[in-house]
Amino acid sequence: MASYDLLKNVHENLPLPETGKTFLVGGSCEYWHYGCDNFNDKGWGCGYRTLQTICSWVRENKISDKVVPSLRCIQETLVAMEDKEESFVGSREWIGSVEVSLALDQRYNVLSKIIHIPSGRDLAKHAETIKKHFEEFGSPIMMGGDRDCSSKGIMGIHFGSKEIYLLIVDPHFVGKPRSARQLQEQFVKWQKVKDFIESSFYNLCLPQAKHNCTISEEK
């Protein structure tokens, strides 16, 4: 795939929401988002873009030298695995955490752990699991839901004195971002776990590929 001069590590230097302890993704990754490769996927491609961001992490951290696949290549992979029908190729059908795990396994031989969370109000119950994932593996996490119809990446978790936050990298940006700071106004942010949609379930895909995470503590 051609190089698209994408921004890297857009989550770095984002101010912490409050004092506490932070666990961040380890290593480097690119920010893949709507239309970043001149293909218009606005409104349906967020799951693919988050997968591409994870794929870039796999490549950037020397776990595999395979290039980041295009959206069509991802669709063809899922059809070849018999997860989707032939009509899926060229469609605008969404993908979620399960499809992301299948594609990572098929393309990079990276297995993933899937966590099903019945309601946004239950996210806090899984905070320790997310923390341990960043400690042990350090890979980006894919998050998808049903009523929260926007797939996104999780690049860290912060335990504050009052709240728990997830570091969200949202692929819904359209255009060419000038800087990470521009994205951090809306698309890269700390979000309280209690602010996720209570009536939506969430699936998390935790790739089991290792790179030490970054841990910081602010008192």
Side-chain angles (χ1 to χ4, degrees):
M1 178 177 284
S3 173
Y4 298 105
D5 192 27
L6 302 177
L7 293 178
K8 293 183 180 180
N9 305 323
V10 295
H11 60 283
E12 290 185 346
N13 302 315
L14 182 68
L16 294 176
E18 59 173 287
T19 58
K21 195 162 187 179
T22 310
F23 301 83
L24 298 176
V25 65
S28 181
C29 62
E30 298 169 328
Y31 175 58
W32 288 74
H33 56 88
Y34 280 165
C36 63
D37 52 4
N38 302 316
F39 181 82
N40 182 11
D41 58 311
K42 183 179 179 181
W44 60 273
C46 53
Y48 299 86
R49 297 307 186 181
T50 300
L51 170 57
Q52 288 176 317
T53 293
I54 297 173
C55 291
S56 77
W57 181 91
V58 171
R59 181 174 171 82
E60 288 281 324
N61 294 290
K62 314 300 183 185
I63 296 165
S64 171
D65 59 0
K66 289 186 178 179
V67 299
V68 175
S70 66
L71 273 67
R72 186 177 183 88
C73 181
I74 294 167
Q75 291 180 334
E76 290 172 345
T77 296
L78 293 170
V79 169
M81 297 178 71
E82 299 184 352
D83 178 68
K84 302 293 183 185
E85 301 292 334
E86 289 284 350
S87 58
F88 180 66
V89 177
S91 73
R92 296 187 175 188
E93 190 174 330
W94 298 358
I95 62 170
S97 292
V98 173
E99 288 90 349
V100 166
S101 69
L102 291 173
L104 287 172
D105 184 17
Q106 177 70 14
R107 187 167 184 84
Y108 299 109
N109 198 30
V110 169
L111 297 176
S112 299
K113 179 178 181 179
I114 298 292
I115 299 176
H116 176 70
I117 303 173
S119 166
R121 69 172 177 267
D122 297 323
L123 270 168
K125 298 176 183 177
H126 297 272
E128 189 65 22
T129 299
I130 293 171
K131 181 196 98 169
K132 287 182 178 178
H133 170 79
F134 285 122
E135 286 182 307
E136 183 174 356
F137 296 103
S139 58
I141 296 172
M142 157 76 174
M143 175 186 236
D146 60 343
R147 293 180 183 266
D148 184 352
C149 300
S150 58
S151 296
K152 52 188 75 74
I154 301 174
M155 298 293 175
I157 187 168
H158 179 78
F159 294 86
S161 58
K162 298 180 180 179
E163 305 282 356
I164 300 173
Y165 303 79
L166 297 180
L167 179 48
I168 298 299
V169 172
D170 187 331
H172 290 78
F173 180 86
V174 178
K176 186 170 180 58
R178 298 184 301 276
S179 65
R181 186 170 182 178
Q182 177 191 4
L183 296 168
Q184 290 171 0
E185 295 173 2
Q186 180 179 355
F187 298 93
V188 180
K189 61 185 178 182
W190 289 106
Q191 184 169 338
K192 296 176 184 177
V193 295
K194 72 177 185 181
D195 288 344
F196 285 86
I197 299 173
E198 183 175 332
S199 61
S200 178
F201 75 73
Y202 291 91
N203 286 331
L204 304 184
C205 172
L206 288 65
Q208 310 288 282
K210 289 193 175 184
H211 191 293
N212 292 335
C213 78
T214 300
I215 304 174
S216 64
E217 187 167 7
E218 183 178 314
K219 298 181 179 179

